[in-house]
Amino acid sequence: MIYEYKITFKEGLHSRPAIGLTDLCKKYKSLTFKIIKINNTITDIKCKNLISILTSNIEKDDIIQIEVSNSDDNTNKLIKEELDKIFL
């Protein structure tokens, strides 16, 4: 499943949402989370690594896509709710 978000934080993707994303990865250890696209640039940032997220230079108004692998429909709904809390 792929989730898309526009970064609205004036600081870009800073530590609070990045920590929220890494915590979500820890909660669902059997799943793979990664940022696969920032605007039109294809990338591969593992979301379990806080430093990778923080050094990716994701800025305000960037659009990111987060890919979650190996999840079922029920889990997708829960993950979407948690990602919305982080990014919306």
Side-chain angles (χ1 to χ4, degrees):
M1 190 71 174
I2 296 177
Y3 305 93
E4 186 171 284
Y5 293 95
K6 182 175 183 177
I7 302 302
T8 58
F9 311 110
K10 69 178 180 178
E11 305 87 1
L13 186 52
H14 58 90
S15 60
R16 185 181 50 80
I19 290 169
L21 191 52
T22 57
D23 287 346
L24 185 60
C25 292
K26 290 176 189 174
K27 183 174 181 178
Y28 296 98
K29 291 181 182 182
S30 63
L31 305 179
T32 302
F33 290 75
K34 62 183 174 178
I35 297 172
I36 57 168
K37 186 175 182 183
I38 304 170
N39 292 340
N40 292 320
T41 304
I42 303 300
T43 188
D44 187 10
I45 301 168
K46 304 285 189 269
C47 294
K48 291 183 180 181
N49 188 327
L50 180 62
I51 300 301
S52 293
I53 297 170
L54 293 174
T55 60
S56 62
N57 296 321
I58 299 173
E59 299 178 352
K60 184 179 187 306
D61 296 328
D62 283 350
I63 296 173
I64 64 169
Q65 290 181 342
I66 300 172
E67 180 183 70
V68 181
S69 303
N70 306 321
S71 60
D72 59 34
D73 288 339
N74 189 42
T75 306
N76 285 336
K77 182 180 177 191
L78 296 172
I79 290 170
K80 172 83 169 109
E81 289 172 2
E82 294 200 38
L83 285 171
D84 286 352
K85 288 178 188 176
I86 294 169
F87 292 107
L88 297 180

